[in-house]
Amino acid sequence: MPQLQPDAGLDVWLAHLEALHPRGSAGIELGLERVAAVKSRLGQRETYPLILVGGTNGKGSTCAMLERILLAAGYRVGLYSSPHLLHYNERVRVNGVAVDDAGLCAAFARVEQARGDAALTYFEFGTLAAWEVFAAAGLDAIVLEVGLGGRLDATNIYQPACAVVTGVDLDHMDFLGADREAIGREKAGIFRSGIPAICGDPQPPLSLTDHAATIGARLQILGRDFGYLKQEQQWLYWGRAAGAPEAVMRRGGLAFPALRGERQLANAACALAALDAVHQALPVAMKDIRQGLGTVELAGRFQVLPGRPAVVLDVAHNPQAARVLAANLGDMSFHRNTWAVFGMLADKDIDGVIDALRDRVTHWLPCSLEGRRAASANSLAERLQSRGMKVAGVFAAPAAALAFAQEHAGEDDRILAFGSFLTVAAALQTLGRQS
């Protein structure tokens, strides 16, 4: 097969990545040995502080907050996150801006040349390429979002100055295990001996705390070692003072993060605990924290679009995230009806998500998504009806469901599009909005 050139075009490169290691292909061993070997051949080294962020939910928000605060402080920052909503470029950001096609293709070409016959997965190839982009950009700090789990995730080949697990709940159980204990052990795989480890779960699984203790990670747990207090229209962060862990320091009078929902306070607390942990290398001031939290943006995380009827976009795709979404919907002003454009992947806990939203949705609009993992609209409708939910229609795609909602919703109603990144991406495209 001829070698792809850097100018082959991003779509060509992404198709190449997909073809290298099709999902479900046999004969590929689990582990980080292959991707770590390519990292070594590329000469990739951690020459500036890296914050590695995992967790079942909230890791994308936490990464976005870290990026904005560090940028406000004047640092040059690289952020790698996944999945993307509309464009692959969203996954790799330098100084708050998605990398252009040429930069990505050049990085892909370097990884392709170095990999030899290593059968890298799509995510492994992309992770190595993101680091190539960062290495060429002359950064001060990198924030990496873990893709799946932690212990065997490609991002775990890099050595962090601080590792964050935002929370542990049930998702990706086919890969990570059947309960919180099994999943917690996978998440804790990003911790390192002697390195600060931040946990945003106030009741973490014993597997996580035991692993941290066994390897000697410097574990801090939300509610025990750091946390937050709501103060009417503001909030207060408290945590361990840098260099004096026995002393508690407080930052009060903080405005709520620009990302909506009370759960974002826990994510913000994780971000501030991580920044305190790396304070010596990356000091930030209160003004940087205020500016960063006040300007952070992240599409699809309880994103409320202006207008009437209101439109809410949320990528919630597991029961814990759906419960947070339900609480956030409950905190909104009164809306007579909620029309839910609902598309999910078949391997998710669909019943658990439905149960979490049953009291917040009046009209369900199940829709089919693209891809072999997608649940059909008919199968979603059957699950909804079996649980006593009102199905207003069955749709072949999110765009059709959204059009129906727009036609039938009154000015005092709201339209909710949720259940998958694919559902939100389709809604954004239909509405003509950028991610």
Side-chain angles (χ1 to χ4, degrees), residues 81-131:
S81 61
S82 63
H84 60 277
L85 282 170
L86 299 181
H87 308 289
Y88 185 92
N89 312 60
E90 299 165 27
R91 296 183 180 221
V92 187
R93 292 163 59 92
V94 174
N95 294 330
V97 179
V99 67
D100 60 22
D101 288 6
L104 275 173
C105 292
F108 286 150
R110 290 194 290 275
V111 175
E112 176 71 2
Q113 185 174 24
R115 75 175 179 89
D117 58 358
L120 298 174
T121 67
Y122 183 91
F123 187 78
E124 289 170 345
F125 202 116
T127 302
L128 290 164
W131 195 276

Side-chain angles (χ1 to χ4, degrees), residues 42 44 59 110 122 148 331 337 346 369:
L42 284 163
Q44 295 182 353
K59 55 182 182 288
R110 290 194 290 275
Y122 183 91
L148 175 65
D331 289 338
N337 297 292
L369 302 175

Side-chain angles (χ1 to χ4, degrees), residues 318-394:
N318 57 56
Q320 184 190 44
R323 290 191 294 271
V324 172
L325 171 58
N328 290 340
L329 291 171
D331 289 338
M332 292 181 72
S333 58
F334 173 75
H335 294 279
R336 191 177 302 278
N337 297 292
T338 298
W339 303 76
V341 176
F342 178 49
M344 285 194 69
L345 301 182
D347 54 8
K348 299 297 181 180
D349 184 356
I350 296 172
D351 291 339
V353 169
I354 293 171
D355 288 344
L357 273 299
R358 63 182 307 129
D359 295 330
R360 300 297 181 200
V361 175
T362 51
H363 301 80
W364 291 83
L365 309 174
C367 55
S368 298
L369 302 175
E370 294 183 355
R372 60 182 180 80
R373 292 174 58 204
S376 71
N378 285 329
S379 68
L380 293 176
E382 290 174 4
R383 287 175 178 267
L384 288 162
Q385 290 167 336
S386 72
R387 308 179 97 72
M389 304 292 102
K390 181 178 179 179
V391 176
V394 178

Side-chain angles (χ1 to χ4, degrees), residues 177-396:
D179 53 36
R180 287 184 78 238
E181 289 298 326
I183 295 171
R185 175 61 188 86
E186 293 298 315
K187 303 287 186 191
I190 67 173
F191 294 162
R192 300 288 194 275
S193 175
I195 297 299
I198 310 299
C199 179
D201 193 319
Q203 295 180 310
L206 285 175
S207 59
L208 182 147
T209 55
D210 286 351
H211 178 69
T214 298
I215 67 171
R218 291 154 50 192
L219 181 63
Q220 298 183 47
I221 298 173
L222 179 70
R224 187 192 75 179
D225 304 292
F226 70 97
Y228 65 92
L229 295 172
K230 291 183 67 175
Q231 297 177 319
E232 296 182 356
Q233 301 304 311
Q234 298 177 323
W235 67 289
L236 175 148
Y237 167 80
W238 60 270
R240 304 298 178 187
E246 69 285 350
V248 176
M249 57 88 180
R250 293 173 172 81
R251 296 189 181 102
L254 295 169
F256 290 121
L259 301 180
R260 294 170 178 251
E262 185 171 345
R263 174 63 204 181
Q264 298 296 352
L265 293 181
N267 295 332
C270 284
L272 295 189
L275 290 171
D276 283 344
V278 298
H279 176 78
Q280 190 168 2
L282 296 169
V284 298
M286 277 295 295
K287 65 178 180 61
D288 308 323
I289 293 170
R290 295 182 193 280
Q291 181 180 341
L293 294 181
T295 58
V296 64
E297 296 178 344
L298 190 60
R301 275 66 165 190
F302 198 62
Q303 183 180 3
V304 181
L305 305 182
R308 299 181 68 180
V311 177
V312 180
L313 307 176
D314 201 296
V315 297
H317 55 266
N318 57 56
Q320 184 190 44
R323 290 191 294 271
V324 172
L325 171 58
N328 290 340
L329 291 171
D331 289 338
M332 292 181 72
S333 58
F334 173 75
H335 294 279
R336 191 177 302 278
N337 297 292
T338 298
W339 303 76
V341 176
F342 178 49
M344 285 194 69
L345 301 182
D347 54 8
K348 299 297 181 180
D349 184 356
I350 296 172
D351 291 339
V353 169
I354 293 171
D355 288 344
L357 273 299
R358 63 182 307 129
D359 295 330
R360 300 297 181 200
V361 175
T362 51
H363 301 80
W364 291 83
L365 309 174
C367 55
S368 298
L369 302 175
E370 294 183 355
R372 60 182 180 80
R373 292 174 58 204
S376 71
N378 285 329
S379 68
L380 293 176
E382 290 174 4
R383 287 175 178 267
L384 288 162
Q385 290 167 336
S386 72
R387 308 179 97 72
M389 304 292 102
K390 181 178 179 179
V391 176
V394 178
F395 302 89

Side-chain angles (χ1 to χ4, degrees), residues 133-152:
V133 171
F134 297 154
L139 302 177
D140 301 309
I142 289 178
V143 180
L144 296 185
E145 179 184 349
V146 173
L148 175 65
R151 183 174 64 92
L152 297 176

